[in-house]
C-alpha cells in the first residue's frame, strides 16, 4: 500500500508541475485533487506495472476531467 501512496504522490506532483504554453499552472490544487481521486488505489496498483507517474498524469490531463 505504501508503494501505491508514493505512486499517487508522484502523480500529484506531476499534475501540479503541468504548465500551459505560457508557463502557467494548468490546474488549481482543487483540480489536481479531483483528478487524482479519479483513480482508485487498486487502479493505481495495476497501472504501476505499465505506466510512470508522469504518464498517468498525462492521461488524466488528456481525459478532459479538468
Amino acid at each position: 500500500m505504501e508503494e501505491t501512496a508514493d505512486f499517487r504522490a508522484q502523480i500529484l506532483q506531476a499534475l501540479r508541475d503541468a504548465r500551459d504554453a505560457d508557463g502557467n499552472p494548468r490546474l488549481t490544487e482543487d483540480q489536481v485533487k479531483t483528478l487524482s481521486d479519479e483513480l482508485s488505489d487498486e487502479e493505481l496498483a495495476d497501472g504501476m506495472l505499465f505506466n510512470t507517474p508522469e504518464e498517468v498524469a498525462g492521461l488524466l490531463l488528456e481525459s478532459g476531467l479538468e
Side-chain angles (χ1 to χ4, degrees):
M1 197 72 168
E2 185 177 324
E3 287 181 15
T4 304
D6 184 49
F7 194 74
R8 185 180 297 278
Q10 291 177 50
I11 292 168
L12 285 167
Q13 191 57 54
L15 289 170
R16 287 182 188 113
D17 292 344
R19 300 285 185 244
D20 65 16
D22 295 325
N24 299 312
R26 285 186 59 183
L27 304 170
T28 65
E29 189 61 30
D30 285 342
Q31 290 171 315
V32 167
K33 179 78 170 117
T34 298
L35 280 178
S36 72
D37 287 345
E38 290 295 319
L39 297 173
S40 68
D41 286 345
E42 184 177 301
E43 289 171 319
L44 285 179
D46 290 343
M48 286 170 46
L49 301 173
F50 307 104
N51 301 290
T52 67
E54 294 78 17
E55 289 170 333
V56 174
L59 292 170
L60 289 170
L61 287 168
E62 292 173 11
S63 69
L65 297 173
E66 61 182 290

